[in-house]
Amino acid sequence: MPALEELETEAIIHAPLAEVWELVGDPRRLADWSLQVVSSEFCDGADTASIGVRFVNHNHDRGMTWSTSAEIVRFVPLREMAFRVDENWLVWSFTLEPMGAEQTRVVHRRESPHGISDWAYAMTEKYMGGTAAFTRSMRDGMDQTLLRIKKASERDGRPSASSRANGIRRLHTSRLVLDVPDREDAAEIFAIVGDHRAVAHNPSDYVSDLQEATELIDRWLRHWAAYEYGYWCVREIRTRRILGYCGTKRMHINGMPARNLIARFHPDAWGSGYATEAVKAALERAGAHAEDGPVVARVRPENLASRNVALKLGLRRDPDMDVCGPDGIEEVFTDRLT
């Protein structure tokens, strides 16, 4: 009975709770949201969802097709729907919380109260690339599930700026959580950009007080609202403290559109591999916005640590894009096909 990591993701949806519940309270609609489920149907003549009702999911992934049986184990109308899959023992759930008359917080979880069945573990190791890889794909799939529900719920199909910034709010790695910034994070961000060691290669980025750090976060949030991606706060899972920030920002370099990559961490976190781990996750998410230009890492020549991170992430030296920034010459690494 191998143990398995529990997963959770959430979204703020700009729609009334009752309308969102119509989408997530009936498991027969899973195929509309899941990347893996093709269709679902109730068993034993059931026609409405309730505790104890059984259903079958027909799934497709990585060229394979299979079916699973499930039972609804928690069901509170307008609040929660959870079901347990017989074959792997995992419990999947949607929990809803009203955030005023026109907003709903949706939390999507994968729970493993009894671990994973030996059969499912063996199948995952043999056909799904291993448990760790499959867990990463499930986490991404959960984010995409909420994104689909969000788009369907926000009736005009064009969420407001604040809605976009509060869509998919988290990325996960084995040691880190990447969150969309919040003004309440200003003090921890100030502890980073207000430390001369953290900005030694780019002293123009130094922030002198908490108010300036708050204004910096406000700029990040405006970018999120406009483009649906941006800079993430990077937290250590174990302590929940902010270790740094990273992500991409839309801009122009030498007259060409690009997504500027940044990774800045508190000196206490240096040498841990956190920067590479966090930026890799951020770049995977940023891949959905390739139309905004290549990813560009601007590195001061003496900043060997940042150079190494760029190379580890597969970026290539691109001298044609070198620029002179506010702190001097910046060597550029990109994913541009030259």
Side-chain angles (χ1 to χ4, degrees), residues 8-14 103-108 142-151 154 159-172 178-181 221 224-229 232 285 289:
E8 177 180 310
T9 189
E10 66 178 74
I12 302 297
I13 296 178
H14 285 237
Q103 294 186 74
T104 305
R105 175 174 177 259
V106 182
V107 179
H108 187 23
M142 291 168 69
D143 284 346
Q144 290 301 313
T145 291
L146 286 192
L147 184 59
R148 290 181 173 191
I149 294 169
K150 180 178 176 64
K151 287 182 176 179
E154 294 173 335
S160 66
S162 60
S163 170
R164 289 196 297 268
N166 287 291
I168 302 303
R169 296 178 59 86
R170 290 196 185 117
L171 305 177
H172 296 78
L178 282 64
D179 286 319
V180 174
L221 289 173
W224 272 97
Y227 303 112
E228 303 185 50
Y229 67 95
W232 304 85
R285 177 66 63 197
H289 302 277

Side-chain angles (χ1 to χ4, degrees), residues 8 17 20-21 24-27 49-51 72-83 91-98 104-111:
E8 177 180 310
L17 184 146
V20 180
W21 174 255
V24 304
D26 187 337
S50 62
I51 290 179
I72 298 176
V73 294
R74 299 195 300 271
F75 189 83
V76 180
L78 301 176
R79 173 62 182 173
E80 182 183 33
M81 191 276 289
F83 60 89
V91 176
W92 297 86
S93 66
F94 295 97
T95 303
L96 277 59
E97 176 186 352
T104 305
R105 175 174 177 259
V106 182
V107 179
H108 187 23
R109 295 185 180 93
R110 186 190 78 172
E111 307 164 30

Side-chain angles (χ1 to χ4, degrees), residues 15 22 28 82 84 91 95 152-153 155 160 168 191 197 203 242 305 309-310:
E22 289 183 5
R28 290 173 297 184
R84 181 182 184 274
V91 176
T95 303
S153 298
R155 287 163 290 188
S160 66
I168 302 303
R197 295 172 297 169
I242 294 177
V309 169

Side-chain angles (χ1 to χ4, degrees), residues 160-167 169 179-186 213-233 249:
S160 66
S162 60
S163 170
R164 289 196 297 268
N166 287 291
R169 296 178 59 86
D179 286 319
V180 174
D182 189 280
R183 295 186 102 214
E184 294 180 357
D185 298 325
T214 303
E215 293 169 358
L216 178 65
I217 290 175
D218 286 342
R219 292 198 295 273
W220 294 350
L221 289 173
R222 286 194 293 271
H223 187 279
W224 272 97
Y227 303 112
E228 303 185 50
Y229 67 95
Y231 294 164
W232 304 85
C233 287
K249 180 179 73 173

Side-chain angles (χ1 to χ4, degrees), residues 180-210:
V180 174
D182 189 280
R183 295 186 102 214
E184 294 180 357
D185 298 325
E188 290 185 271
I189 293 299
F190 177 51
I192 299 166
V193 289
D195 188 317
H196 287 285
R197 295 172 297 169
V199 295
H201 297 290
N202 299 95
S204 63
D205 289 342
Y206 176 74
V207 167
S208 60
D209 57 39
L210 185 59

Side-chain angles (χ1 to χ4, degrees), residues 13 19 30 44 81 96 116 135 160 176 178 180 189 230 243 245 253 258 283 288 303 305 327 337:
I13 296 178
E19 294 182 11
L30 286 170
D44 307 319
M81 191 276 289
L96 277 59
I116 185 174
T135 293
S160 66
L176 305 171
L178 282 64
V180 174
I189 293 299
L243 303 173
Y245 60 91
I253 297 177
L283 287 180
N303 191 348
D327 300 302
L337 297 177

